[in-house]
Amino acid sequence: MHTDQQPVTARRAIEVEGLHKSFGALEVLKGIDFSVERGEVVCVIGPSGSGKSTLLRCVNLLEEPTAGRVTVAGTEVTDPDVDIDRVRRRIGMVFQSFNLFPHLTALENLTIAQRRVLRRDRAAAEQVARANLERVGLSDKESAYPAQLSGGQQQRVAIARALSMEPELMLFDEPTSALDPELVGDVLAVMRGLAQEGMTMLVVTHEMSFAREVADRVVFMDGGIIVEEGVPERVIADPQHERTRTFLARVLDPAAAGIIEVAEGEPPPGEQQP
C-alpha cells in the first residue's frame, strides 16, 4: 500500500452496481451487478461482443458508464468529482496489445511512470523495475528494446511495468490473445504466480484451463449481462445455463461443437452471428 494514500477499509476491491454502457444505439452492458473481493481472482469468460472488455474498461473509467456506479477500493470512480488519476495509480492494467514504448528499453519502460507519476528518483525506480523484471523471468532483458523481444516477453514486460507501480489490484484484458500458442504458457505462469501471492485480479480470458485452475470465481457473460457465475468447478465443469453449456462446448471441443451445429442447421463456430 502506498504511504501517500488514505487507508482502505473497504472489504471489496471492486463493486459494480447497475452498470449500463451504450455506444450510440448499441447497448453493450445492460445492468451489471458484480463485485470482486480483496485477494480474489475472478475470470470473466464469454463470446466476443458479450461486453467483457467493456466491463473491465469501465472499472478504471477508460470507458465512461452510461449509468450505474463503480467503486474501486472504497472510492467511487463514477463520482464526477473523483480524482481518477489517483485511483488509477492503485490499478494495474494489462491489455491485449503490449503498449510498450518502442524507443525505450525494457528497464526504461518500467521506470518512466514510476518517475513521472510516483516521483521516484532514478535509482529507486530502477531497483523496483529490476525486481519486477526478475519476478517475470526477464532479468536478462532489461537492456532490450520491445522489437528485440518475442510477444510473450513483451507481455511479461507489460505485466512487470504494471507491477512496478505497486497496484492493489490488477486488470487483465485477454492478455494472451495476441500471442502465438507456444508463448502463452510463460505469461500465464506469471499470472498464476501473482494469484498465489494474493494479488486481487480481474481477468478477461479465453484460457479455460487457467480459469479452471487459478480463478476463485468464474463469470460467464453474454449479450451484455452476467448469465452465470460461481466457482470454476460449477461454471466450467457443470454449467447450469444452456447458453453457458453451448459456449463451453464450442471453446473446449470446437470440432465436436461444429458437427452438432451443422447437424442442427447452425453456422459453424468460425462464422459471425448476425
Side-chain angles (χ1 to χ4, degrees):
M1 171 125 18
H2 306 316
T3 55
D4 63 335
Q5 296 172 347
Q6 296 296 317
V8 176
T9 57
R11 184 170 62 90
R12 288 179 170 169
I14 302 169
E15 187 159 13
V16 173
E17 303 168 87
L19 183 64
H20 290 258
K21 176 61 183 177
S22 296
F23 296 95
L26 178 63
E27 189 175 25
V28 178
L29 298 177
K30 303 175 181 178
I32 299 289
D33 293 298
F34 171 78
S35 65
V36 178
E37 305 296 325
R38 291 186 167 282
E40 189 178 26
V41 178
V42 176
C43 286
V44 183
I45 63 173
S48 297
S50 61
K52 309 182 302 295
S53 292
T54 301
L55 169 62
L56 200 72
R57 293 171 66 86
C58 283
V59 169
N60 63 356
L61 228 60
L62 290 176
E63 295 289 355
E64 187 147 355
T66 305
R69 294 189 353 149
V70 178
T71 303
V72 176
T75 300
E76 184 189 341
V77 300
T78 43
D79 183 333
D81 297 323
V82 72
D83 183 349
I84 190 60
D85 290 332
R86 189 177 182 85
V87 176
R88 284 178 180 150
R89 292 178 200 173
R90 304 157 81 171
I91 306 171
M93 181 92 185
V94 178
F95 300 89
Q96 297 178 37
S97 54
F98 321 124
N99 294 339
L100 300 176
F101 293 109
H103 63 291
L104 299 181
T105 65
L107 186 70
E108 290 166 340
N109 265 283
L110 268 63
T111 58
I112 186 169
Q114 292 185 67
R115 298 181 66 195
R116 293 187 178 180
V117 178
L118 302 182
R119 303 299 181 187
R120 287 179 178 152
D121 62 41
R122 180 186 296 274
E126 288 184 351
Q127 182 178 9
V128 171
R130 288 191 172 101
N132 282 302
L133 284 173
E134 181 177 3
R135 200 171 175 184
V136 301
L138 292 174
S139 293
D140 59 334
K141 299 295 184 182
E142 69 172 58
S143 298
Y145 290 90
Q148 298 171 315
L149 301 172
S150 70
Q153 289 171 333
Q154 289 185 61
Q155 190 62 292
R156 283 188 281 158
V157 169
I159 294 172
R161 177 181 57 185
L163 293 173
S164 292
M165 301 297 286
E166 297 179 357
E168 296 178 27
L169 62 129
M170 292 281 289
L171 308 178
F172 293 88
D173 186 7
E174 295 277 16
T176 60
S177 65
L179 303 180
D180 292 334
E182 66 269 23
L183 302 177
V184 168
D186 289 341
V187 173
L188 293 181
V190 169
M191 295 171 64
R192 190 177 295 112
L194 292 177
Q196 291 169 349
E197 293 172 14
M199 175 65 75
T200 305
M201 297 165 59
L202 178 57
V203 185
V204 171
T205 185
H206 60 275
E207 300 287 347
M208 294 301 115
S209 59
F210 176 83
R212 184 188 291 113
E213 176 189 348
V214 178
D216 297 299
R217 186 156 45 98
V218 173
V219 173
F220 172 66
M221 288 184 65
D222 189 33
I225 64 171
I226 292 176
V227 176
E228 189 167 352
E229 66 178 300
V231 296
E233 293 79 8
R234 190 180 69 76
V235 176
I236 296 177
D238 186 26
Q240 303 302 300
H241 197 283
E242 179 60 33
R243 182 66 189 95
T244 316
R245 289 195 288 269
T246 301
F247 169 76
L248 288 170
R250 290 178 173 178
V251 172
L252 298 175
D253 192 357
I259 292 170
I260 294 169
E261 287 164 355
V262 170
E264 292 177 349
E266 297 183 11
E271 295 185 11
Q272 294 292 320
Q273 296 290 339

